Amino acid sequence: MFGRRVWGASGVPQRSPGRAVPLRAEGRGLMASTPGNQKATHSENSQGKKSQHAEEAIFYMNCRAAYLTVFKSSLENIKSKEQLSLVLQQAGRNPSQKTINKYWTSQTTSLNFDDFCAILKKEKPATKNELLEAFGKIDRDKAGYILHDELCKILTTRGDKMTWEEVTSITNQADFNCSGKLDYNKFCELYLTTSEQCCKAARDRLETDPRLRQQHFGNQTENCSERISLPVSKPSPRVSRKTDHKLPKADSKAPSRPSSAQSSKASTSVTVGASSSSNTKLIIEPDTMKEWQHAQCRGCFYLEEDGEIISHKYRLHLPQKSALCVTIRPFHIPQAERKSCHWLSVDTALFILKENETQENLQLVSFTELQNKEVFGWRGELGAGVYWLLPFTTGCRLRKVKTQISGEAKLVWRDEDGELALTKEFRAALLEIFETIDLDGNGLLSLEEYNFFELRTSGEKCDQEAWAVCKENFEMKKNELTRQGFLDLNLMEANDQDGDPWDLWVTLLSLGYNKALEMTEACPFVIDVCAERCKPRIKAISLEAGGSQLSRAVCRSVLNKGEAKVLDGSENIFIYTYRSGSRITSVIENKSENKVIIHVNNEQSKNCLNNRGLMVFAVEVAPKSMMVSQHVMALNEQEEWIYSCVHSLVC
């Protein structure tokens, strides 16, 4: 939190710092440090998006290649620490025991292919500079050599301790040893070359072995696979018992599958024209709605380190029955109009749920399926009562990407008198943040609004007493913090740290900014509610992940609106596909008594981007349950895109 010094809160949560790793030898990893994930930017042009897509495809190909070096199928799970260490080494990592213990805890019984991919995203391979830096800490004279005696002492007494025999096997190799010394420059070169050769061999094996090529699918499942009990009824008129009903059958060039899947599949193909987001118009007639009463609230999607998306949640109160129009759209921050705003391309949606006796028993009313450019909306009539508004984004565009940042932006500077001041760039970012966290848009921060910001950035809250102290030190109006007061509060934070920007960066990163002060891992949005016969009241009540309520709402919306198909030969497995504006969502329903694994192949799709980052993968669906298979959008909205997907039963 920027102003935590005002009320004497303790410390700052440690977010994303690099962590030191003990020096280890080959076979256990001669590593330096593992840097934290760098914040990244979304490319605005189609070439950048295609490049990003290609990078992701290469990453997952390398993951599969390494995984299938150890396992027969990527549907097999990692069942021991030893297997985890081995498969990570095949991917060019040499994990310490501390790293292994971080991912394999006392509660871990197995890890699947997707867990493995997630680990590889966090545990980057060591670079030559990192390796040389680690050796440099031992070679204090910077001679380029380390005496064998000194090396043996370190490797047998520190970190993951090695035996004398293991150390001797290293020092006896002539490629990088001479006269009782280890040439660590040569060692690093050989280590990196060998590592890359191993990865390349795994990729080549994957490409040339037909048996392995048919195993090109991951075992990725939703974080929250909700069971949704549905009443038994006669088949819906939307349900087709054939795979080619209404929509053309996908091309049959998909890779072969295990024999159990040969006779059980359903294919879906949809061709969407360029800029189709404006085909379904959300018509709001000014003449008919100018007398309607209006309520507005801002909010934000934030991307977590593990890829999970959190956002504000809202409660809507209607004092009486009324016609209603509800919209959600990315927020055009006035201060950022001249900048490239990456979040404006992020898709948004809003699910409307009716509150009953308990919050656990919310009933889906509808969702914003109409679209006009970046605005998604719903029009209808609601009775008096309390409703929940749950914001949603697919994760197709709000996602972690890897882009090089040329340099770290400067946050503070000292004037001629040695006084600290905020840089122009940092002030601009702070004003963007202010607009985002000013939920009611009145140009001031209330204690409640400030505490959402506080919880996001530091995990703490400011009480009334602390707010009074803040009022004594910073500009306020009507007991709410002004923009100038917010800027001054940040300047005080910088002064408390004597100009060290670390605490400021912790906060900026938690709010979705990268080191170039670009908001790339957050998406601010605006919700508007217009009611014909009453004054609607909307209030933000929490900032958290969507959870089971949102997962259930997404599944139910696709179930209610989507086209359903039955897998041939599997009358209890249904695939629902629904197109809402510029996105397509598919849901798998398993009505059987047993869990099933469904293979999903998108290789015939063109100009598409999905939330999983995989063209081919598999999902496990629990018995008597339903889950999202994938969300799909156009990679380049200015070009035609084709969604062509084949779902097959693996087991």
Side-chain angles (χ1 to χ4, degrees):
M1 179 318 253
F2 289 132
R4 63 173 62 85
R5 296 293 185 272
V6 175
W7 35 86
S10 58
V12 181
Q14 299 300 306
R15 295 176 185 262
S16 303
R19 56 186 182 283
V21 178
L23 184 66
R24 304 183 298 282
E26 188 177 22
R28 296 193 181 181
L30 188 51
M31 309 278 286
S33 64
T34 304
N37 288 336
Q38 188 182 49
K39 297 285 175 177
T41 61
H42 291 286
S43 175
E44 286 294 309
N45 55 64
S46 61
Q47 188 62 36
K49 291 181 179 179
K50 291 178 181 178
S51 175
Q52 170 196 333
H53 190 61
E55 287 182 5
E56 290 181 352
I58 292 172
F59 170 78
Y60 283 106
M61 180 190 71
N62 290 335
C63 291
R64 290 193 294 271
Y67 205 83
L68 295 176
T69 302
V70 179
F71 301 100
K72 294 181 179 179
S73 165
S74 52
L75 294 177
E76 288 189 36
N77 288 339
I78 301 169
K79 297 181 179 179
S80 68
K81 288 184 177 182
E82 291 72 24
Q83 285 185 339
L84 176 58
S85 179
L86 179 60
V87 75
L88 287 175
Q89 289 175 11
Q90 293 297 329
R93 277 65 164 175
N94 270 314
S96 66
Q97 192 59 47
K98 181 179 179 181
T99 300
I100 295 297
N101 291 339
K102 180 173 67 173
Y103 298 108
W104 193 283
T105 67
S106 58
Q107 285 77 39
T108 306
T109 57
S110 66
L111 297 171
N112 63 27
F113 175 72
D114 293 315
D115 297 324
F116 171 67
C117 292
I119 292 172
L120 290 187
K121 285 185 177 181
K122 295 178 181 178
E123 303 298 330
K124 306 296 184 183
T127 65
K128 184 175 181 179
N129 286 339
E130 291 171 340
L131 292 171
L132 292 176
E133 182 181 349
F135 278 112
K137 293 178 180 179
I138 303 173
D139 179 19
R140 300 185 184 279
D141 297 331
K142 307 303 179 186
Y145 297 91
I146 297 176
L147 294 175
H148 286 172
D149 289 345
E150 185 177 3
L151 183 65
C152 289
K153 181 179 179 181
I154 292 172
L155 295 181
T156 57
T157 59
R158 300 182 189 176
D160 292 347
K161 300 179 182 63
M162 301 179 66
T163 65
W164 282 100
E165 291 76 13
E166 290 173 327
V167 177
T168 301
S169 69
I170 297 173
T171 57
N172 284 343
Q173 296 188 46
D175 290 333
F176 44 80
N177 290 282
C178 181
S179 303
K181 295 180 292 185
L182 178 139
D183 184 333
Y184 57 82
N185 277 281
K186 291 183 178 179
F187 176 88
C188 292
E189 291 175 0
L190 182 62
Y191 166 79
L192 294 173
T193 300
T194 303
S195 178
E196 176 54 33
Q197 288 175 346
C198 289
C199 293
K200 184 177 185 300
R203 291 194 299 269
D204 292 343
R205 180 168 172 261
L206 184 67
E207 290 298 319
T208 57
D209 191 334
R211 181 186 64 82
L212 292 179
R213 283 191 61 81
Q214 71 180 12
Q215 301 295 344
H216 276 208
F217 41 90
N219 188 29
Q220 185 160 349
T221 59
E222 287 287 295
N223 290 334
C224 186
S225 177
E226 287 297 315
R227 296 190 180 190
I228 303 176
S229 300
L230 302 172
V232 178
S233 62
K234 63 181 181 180
S236 164
R238 295 190 308 274
V239 176
S240 170
R241 294 284 167 177
K242 298 180 180 180
T243 61
D244 58 352
H245 178 63
K246 289 190 178 181
L247 296 173
K249 188 173 181 179
D251 197 313
S252 58
K253 296 180 181 179
S256 59
R257 302 173 300 282
S259 58
S260 62
Q262 294 296 329
S263 61
S264 301
K265 69 177 183 179
S267 61
T268 302
S269 181
V270 180
T271 300
V272 185
S275 301
S276 65
S277 61
S278 61
N279 291 341
T280 305
K281 291 287 187 180
L282 174 62
I283 302 174
I284 301 177
E285 298 290 345
D287 292 339
T288 61
M289 294 184 61
K290 63 182 180 180
E291 302 299 329
W292 289 23
Q293 300 190 66
H294 176 247
Q296 184 182 86
C297 198
R298 299 173 184 173
C300 195
F301 295 109
Y302 295 107
L303 189 60
E304 297 281 60
E305 284 297 322
D306 60 2
E308 185 177 38
I309 296 173
I310 71 169
S311 75
H312 294 85
K313 293 182 179 180
Y314 304 84
R315 184 175 282 131
L316 171 67
H317 178 256
L318 295 178
Q320 68 182 76
K321 183 178 180 180
S322 176
L324 215 66
C325 179
V326 181
T327 64
I328 182 172
R329 57 182 167 82
F331 179 32
H332 289 259
I333 300 176
Q335 283 76 6
E337 286 183 351
R338 296 182 180 179
K339 295 174 58 177
S340 175
C341 302
H342 307 272
W343 66 86
L344 293 180
S345 66
V346 173
D347 61 291
T348 61
L350 202 60
F351 287 82
I352 306 169
L353 289 78
K354 180 72 169 68
E355 183 174 291
N356 296 318
E357 295 180 358
T358 63
Q359 292 184 10
E360 290 74 23
N361 189 28
L362 300 179
Q363 179 182 358
L364 175 65
V365 175
S366 193
F367 63 101
T368 52
E369 60 179 319
L370 301 176
Q371 181 181 3
N372 184 10
K373 297 182 179 179
E374 76 276 13
V375 181
F376 282 82
W378 174 83
R379 290 191 66 174
E381 189 173 74
L382 294 180
V386 177
Y387 298 83
W388 284 56
L389 303 181
L390 304 184
F392 170 75
T393 183
T394 60
C396 291
R397 297 213 169 102
L398 183 58
R399 60 195 304 177
K400 289 194 172 292
V401 294
K402 183 168 59 177
T403 303
Q404 293 295 325
I405 304 296
S406 57
E408 181 177 305
K410 193 173 182 180
L411 304 184
V412 295
W413 62 287
R414 292 188 182 276
D415 60 20
E416 295 178 353
D417 299 325
E419 296 293 325
L420 276 176
L422 306 178
T423 63
K424 179 181 178 181
E425 294 76 16
F426 186 34
R427 286 175 60 90
L430 290 175
L431 291 176
E432 289 178 11
I433 291 170
F434 186 94
E435 294 297 326
T436 300
I437 63 179
D438 178 18
L439 301 184
D440 61 9
N442 71 342
L444 301 168
L445 293 183
S446 66
L447 174 58
E448 189 173 27
E449 290 171 329
Y450 184 81
N451 272 335
F452 279 121
F453 163 76
E454 180 79 352
L455 288 170
R456 175 62 188 164
T457 58
S458 72
E460 303 167 354
K461 289 185 71 173
C462 173
D463 57 22
Q464 291 288 350
E465 182 180 355
W467 193 242
V469 175
C470 190
K471 186 176 182 179
E472 294 175 0
N473 290 272
F474 306 105
E475 182 181 87
M476 285 197 180
K477 292 181 180 179
K478 300 178 182 179
N479 201 37
E480 295 187 332
L481 191 65
T482 66
R483 289 182 177 85
Q484 187 58 51
F486 185 66
L487 293 173
D488 291 341
L489 190 149
N490 284 278
L491 180 58
M492 183 208 67
E493 179 79 3
N495 275 299
D496 281 353
Q497 298 300 314
D498 196 27
D500 185 345
W502 171 246
D503 284 2
L504 302 177
W505 276 120
V506 167
T507 301
L508 286 166
L509 296 177
S510 72
L511 295 173
Y513 283 80
N514 63 18
K515 288 301 183 75
L517 288 181
E518 299 168 320
M519 189 195 299
T520 58
E521 295 193 356
C523 172
F525 56 79
V526 177
I527 296 172
D528 288 280
V529 180
C530 294
E532 182 181 19
R533 293 188 289 273
C534 63
K535 175 64 177 177
R537 297 200 304 271
I538 180 174
K539 182 179 181 181
I541 57 174
S542 65
L543 178 60
E544 58 189 5
S548 60
Q549 293 288 359
L550 182 57
S551 296
R552 186 178 293 111
V554 172
C555 285
R556 286 190 182 278
S557 67
V558 176
L559 172 68
N560 294 338
K561 299 279 189 176
E563 173 80 18
K565 292 187 177 182
V566 184
L567 264 68
D568 282 352
S570 303
E571 62 180 13
N572 290 321
I573 310 299
F574 294 79
I575 310 297
Y576 295 85
T577 304
Y578 176 62
R579 177 187 166 199
S580 175
S582 60
R583 57 179 175 253
I584 292 174
T585 297
S586 64
V587 167
I588 304 172
E589 181 190 0
N590 176 17
K591 290 187 175 183
S592 72
E593 301 289 341
N594 304 304
K595 77 173 183 179
V596 295
I597 295 177
I598 304 297
H599 175 231
V600 184
N601 189 315
N602 296 297
E603 289 186 326
Q604 299 306 310
S605 294
K606 304 296 182 183
N607 187 32
C608 287
L609 178 70
N610 70 28
N611 64 307
R612 294 180 178 273
L614 291 166
M615 293 298 288
V616 185
F617 57 92
V619 293
E620 182 179 290
V621 189
K624 300 292 184 182
S625 72
M626 174 177 268
M627 67 174 293
V628 172
S629 170
Q630 62 181 339
H631 303 286
V632 181
M633 299 185 68
L635 185 63
N636 181 355
E637 292 183 316
Q638 304 307 313
E639 299 177 3
E640 180 182 80
W641 55 291
I642 300 174
Y643 170 69
S644 181
C645 179
V646 179
H647 287 81
S648 307
L649 179 64
V650 176
C651 63

